Amino acid sequence: MKKYTRFINSLLAAIVLSMVTGLSAVAQAAEAKAKAKAKPTELPIKVSPYKKRPAESAQSIAEGRVIYENACIYCHGVEAKGEGPVAFYLSRDTAPRPRDLTSGIYKFRSTASGELPMDEDIFRTITRGVTGYMPGFEGMAPADRWKLVYYVKSLVPDFKEVTDPEVIKMVGSAIPSSAVSIRRGYDVYQQFKCWECHGGGGRGDGKKAPALKDDWDFPLPPRDLTRLSSFKNGSEPADLYRTVMAGFDGGAMPSYADFFEGSEKDAWHLVNYIRSLSE
Amino acid sequence: MKKATFWQKARCLASSVLLAVLTIPILFITSVKEAEAVPSFARKYDMSCNVCHTRQPRLNPYGQRFMENGYQLPGTADGGRKEKHLLGGETNGATLDDLSNLMAVRLRADIQKPSFEDNTVTETADDVDIVFPNVINIFIAGTVTDNISFFGEMEYATREGHAPALAFERAFMAFDNLGGPQVANVKVGVFDPSAMYSFPTHRQQMNPIPPEAHTDKFPPEINRIPLLPLAFSSKMFGLTRGPSFTEAIGATGGVDTYEPEEQTDGLSILPFEPMFYNAPYQTGISVHGRPFGNSFLYQVGLAQNQTAEDEPKTTFDTYVMVRYDMLGKFSNFQVSGFYYTADKAARAALRPPPPTPFGGAELVFSQEATDWTRMGIAARWQHKSWDIYGTYIADEIDKPVFGNAVLDMSVWETDGSGISIEADYLLTEKWLLGVRYDMMKPGGLSQLPPALQAGDPEINQNASFLGLLGKYYPRPNIGLYARYHHNLESSVKLPTAGFGGDEHPATNLTSMFTVGVDMAF
Amino acid sequence: MSNKKLMTCIGVVASLMMASNANAYKAVTVTNGGSISGKISFSGAAPSNPKLDITKDKETCGTSIPADYYIVGAGGGLKNAVVVIENIEQGKAYDKKGKVPVDNKKCMFTPHVTTAVKGQKLAINNSDPVLHNTHLYHGEKLKTMYNIALPLQNRVIKKPLRKDGVITVKCDAHEWMLSYVYVAKHPYSVVTAADGSFTLSDVPAGSYKVKIWHEKLGESIQDVTVAAGGTATLNHSFGK
């Protein structure tokens, strides 16, 4: 009898333990989800307020398609695969081409590498445009821009499955530029080997630069960091932070989030260094 | 015509040099910003030229829609907004930045080398014309507020032997999206009526070469015909603008030379000058829109003109155009048709040579001015790096009646037609190759009355040209080009007196070779 | 505690576990499991193994690297093919926290082909002193899954494998680098050895469809029946 009791007790203990572990795992997941949902207010998006937006519904998606046909179709194409008539005249044989919106690959995100973007990311891209290539639709009513966001999301089925992509934590904020900060940023630039692609002077002429291509096999040279106004993701400190952390999906720029984990201040120093290159 | 005096030449040269010297700092200042030094719209929206242009000046479908929408982004009514500032903290001279979002400058300079069968009055075989800069256009365009836009273009043209001319070419206001998005857009002012046609006159052309001709005389003295798409031309021999222009005859000094972009036109209507719907500019009003979805475009308009009657009246030509667009994979196909009527637009005339029963070199006009109708169809197909467009345009006039037994034995063709087709191919990001075929079957005066004939009775001669173009764009807004035009009719011998030489103007120019630069800032 | 309460406890826990893992592979104790073993080979003359030029970082990488698309041993054995059971719902347990190593070494990925179970993690490492970025693509359409910079030597980055399928591993900085991770929903997948041989053990008795996958030669699906405690033989030869 005693043997049995001990066995049952240990079995019970094991069951209780696994329940506790399981439940705590579930609780952790819920907490993480809640944290992720709270993220939007931390993101430094200076364009139109996000609070008022139309409901995401079949109707707003249909209206988004109509707006798309008036404003976007010439570059992004009838099927939104980046096959519009203007695509060749914009970039005949180099990147960037107008994005294939059905591919599910997004360049400008506040989310981790390989993740889908947040709605606000797509909204920001439509509002600001892409320097040199895509006009910014500040002049379009915000409600219309949101309908475009919903339409763009409707083209990629993954958005229905993944409602909470892993968001990049913005730890800290921009550090005022100083010689000390720039020096630290320079050290990070060297240590993290940014120069191998971007070049010692940041002119995009690193030894790895010539062979870089995007996911569609178009040559995509690394950015000349001395030309701040040409940064397609934006050139405010928060924009650069986001670029370094999230990387550019669809291109060669990788995410450095794992290497800045725990020392995010270094990322802000790196941002200051990069911005100093264009002075 | 008199050759330019030494001082005129010197003045011309000096102003050319001065302009050349000024362009270099302008180039430098506007090149401070990243990537391409970009004209005003590109600066305003922070985009490359190629978002709107196939290669400047030709428009791609997005640029066409931008223009249709009154220089607002298609699908929006974003006029009057503060210009989008460049991202980042670059410092720019503030005043230059703001002005530069409204204003753009286009500079053209070239070396022209025509070859002739026979020397003309002003041009000899083996003449080489070098002028820098040749043409400077200054544009100011933009929006005042939502759906109200404006456009102004001044042109300063210098050519050897001519006094430099500065003229306000096109200027108009547009009121857009009246009655709802894309329902009706109204343009008022001086503009190219065919701006939305599938083969527009002004924006589509690469460096047209105007004629060397004197239209103050009748018949006009044509020393060199223009190298413009011949489908746009009047296609009629023997027509004039009417008796009210006859004061120009016999003027001494300051000869009235026909320049296609000048406000004052001479007496004679050149068979080769672009007219009516396809004139580089007309004063008038036009309404266009797409009320039935995105595919159909309509345009109706009125163009102000003067009749060719003895007492000229202001008249309003009417026109209508319809266009259908289809978007496909990397492609755009459009087809359009127009119909244009002009009341009493021209007057046939004959000049009997002395000695005649008419007592001297008098000009006899037909009894009535003729109505003129023009219709055309055009299509454009753009696929990946190909851009192919062409138009067939036909004109019709009434048979003139002189009320005189001798003169009424002249033979007149009431129909004229022309076709122009161009194919452009973007070989690489920087190289554009083009070929254009033009053919004109003119109408109008076909045979002089037997009493007045000298030499071959046939005056009417087809004109056809083949043009080859290569243009290199080191940057999207700078083009270096070489063009060669070959006259496919030059072997036809048709000596006809009165056109300024022993050769018919349609056959005299055997070829033209041009090398030039075309830049926009 | 009474037996009744114990049973209820177990019942509750079991249903909880089942509910959270609906439609997924279930790890159970496999009693009297059989195995599938055999040899994957290539018939015909072995294709040449081209040398890929190394265009940068030659001090670290050398001047050329064999492509290793086809590694055919003596007797036609095909290395680096993946043998995986397609349709198995439950079977042996596996290490859910397992780490699947992908190493950047001398400008090549090591190993060239490996397998993993969905939910496990990749342990990505850079053993070279130069910058590598490990760019992982998922599926046939090569959709970017991760693009991770690895500037520091010998610092392992872990990334979860959330989807099953073929993962193509490349490096943007060194365009010749290539490897594969075959992710299945279950642990019954294996890479063939240099002589083409493989073994899948502890397979519950039953009939299965087994896929043989090779990076260049495509796939082939075979029917295999495993008897309790028995060994099923699966040989397959890719033709030319």
Side-chain angles (χ1 to χ4, degrees), chain A residues 12 15 19 103-104 113-115 166 192-193 196 207-208 211-212 215 249 251-256 258-259, chain C residues 1 6 10 13 56-57 129 131 133 135 137 143-147 149 151 155 157 159 162 172-175:
Chain A
L12 211 61
I15 290 166
M19 274 182 76
S103 66
S113 182
E115 295 283 326
E166 186 190 326
F192 282 4
K193 305 197 173 82
E196 290 204 7
K207 55 179 173 165
K208 303 219 159 98
L212 293 180
D215 279 9
D249 283 352
M253 171 72 189
S255 156
Y256 279 82
D258 302 286
F259 287 84
Chain C
M1 189 188 254
L6 187 60
I10 293 172
V13 172
K56 45 187 82 103
D57 289 331
L131 175 69
N133 71 304
H135 195 153
Y137 298 89
K143 191 160 169 311
T144 291
M145 197 172 136
Y146 298 113
N147 186 358
R155 187 166 140 183
I157 303 294
K159 287 291 176 198
R162 292 207 206 95
D172 289 290
H174 306 93
E175 62 272 16

Side-chain angles (χ1 to χ4, degrees), chain B residues 1-16 131 156 158-164 253-255:
Chain B
M1 98 112 194
K2 296 176 191 162
K3 284 257 173 197
T5 65
F6 172 76
W7 289 113
Q8 278 177 329
K9 270 193 179 169
R11 202 170 58 220
C12 182
L13 187 65
S15 55
S16 305
V131 190
Y156 179 90
T158 62
R159 287 220 323 268
E160 191 182 301
H162 300 269
V255 175

Side-chain angles (χ1 to χ4, degrees), chain C:
Chain C
M1 189 188 254
S2 70
N3 276 353
K4 222 181 175 179
K5 275 193 183 164
L6 187 60
M7 287 307 156
T8 326
C9 262
I10 293 172
V12 167
V13 172
S15 57
L16 264 176
M17 287 171 75
M18 281 212 305
S20 61
N21 289 322
N23 293 329
Y25 171 78
K26 207 166 70 171
V28 298
T29 321
V30 178
T31 47
N32 223 2
S35 60
I36 307 174
S37 67
K39 179 170 158 176
I40 307 298
S41 51
F42 180 84
S43 66
S48 60
N49 193 4
K51 285 211 176 294
L52 302 172
D53 281 325
I54 290 185
T55 49
K56 45 187 82 103
D57 289 331
K58 290 187 183 156
E59 327 74 49
T60 310
C61 308
T63 47
S64 72
I65 269 173
D68 281 349
Y69 299 145
Y70 309 89
I71 304 178
V72 182
L78 184 66
K79 188 180 175 191
N80 283 341
V82 172
V83 183
V84 54
I85 299 178
E86 284 271 88
N87 53 343
I88 181 163
E89 305 277 301
Q90 55 186 41
K92 66 181 175 187
Y94 63 96
D95 181 6
K96 291 213 170 98
K97 290 201 192 302
K99 310 277 186 294
V100 179
V102 172
D103 193 8
N104 290 261
K105 194 162 185 166
K106 291 232 174 277
C107 306
M108 284 177 73
F109 288 118
T110 311
H112 186 64
V113 180
T114 186
T115 59
V117 185
K118 178 171 155 181
Q120 288 184 325
K121 289 192 173 163
L122 284 175
I124 309 171
N125 185 42
N126 181 0
S127 297
D128 288 339
V130 295
L131 175 69
H132 286 290
N133 71 304
T134 299
H135 195 153
L136 296 139
Y137 298 89
H138 175 262
E140 275 174 10
K141 285 191 187 165
L142 296 181
K143 191 160 169 311
T144 291
M145 197 172 136
Y146 298 113
N147 186 358
I148 309 296
L150 298 164
L152 302 179
Q153 214 169 350
N154 297 324
R155 187 166 140 183
V156 179
I157 303 294
K158 300 189 194 78
K159 287 291 176 198
L161 292 164
R162 292 207 206 95
K163 288 188 183 175
D164 57 303
V166 175
I167 294 181
T168 309
V169 188
K170 295 177 74 92
C171 175
D172 289 290
H174 306 93
E175 62 272 16
W176 60 84
M177 289 176 69
L178 179 64
S179 78
Y180 298 90
V181 180
Y182 195 104
V183 182
K185 290 197 180 104
H186 54 77
Y188 292 100
S189 61
V190 65
V191 185
T192 56
D195 60 354
S197 64
F198 71 93
T199 303
L200 287 165
S201 55
D202 291 328
V203 184
S207 293
Y208 301 101
K209 290 204 176 296
V210 176
K211 183 198 284 189
I212 304 139
W213 175 90
H214 184 266
E215 65 186 279
K216 289 287 181 206
L217 294 165
E219 322 181 323
S220 167
I221 301 191
Q222 307 289 328
D223 293 306
V224 175
T225 308
V226 179
T231 303
T233 309
L234 173 61
N235 292 326
H236 179 73
S237 181
F238 283 101
K240 193 115 218 257

Side-chain angles (χ1 to χ4, degrees), chain A residues 56 106 119 122 148-157 159:
Chain A
E56 186 168 1
Y106 298 88
D119 291 5
I122 304 176
L148 280 175
V149 171
Y150 300 147
Y151 172 69
V152 165
K153 284 173 67 183
S154 75
L155 297 169
V156 175
F159 276 106

Side-chain angles (χ1 to χ4, degrees), chain A residues 196-215:
Chain A
E196 290 204 7
C197 291
H198 286 284
R203 289 188 192 280
D205 54 0
K207 55 179 173 165
K208 303 219 159 98
L212 293 180
K213 294 196 174 159
D214 69 1
D215 279 9

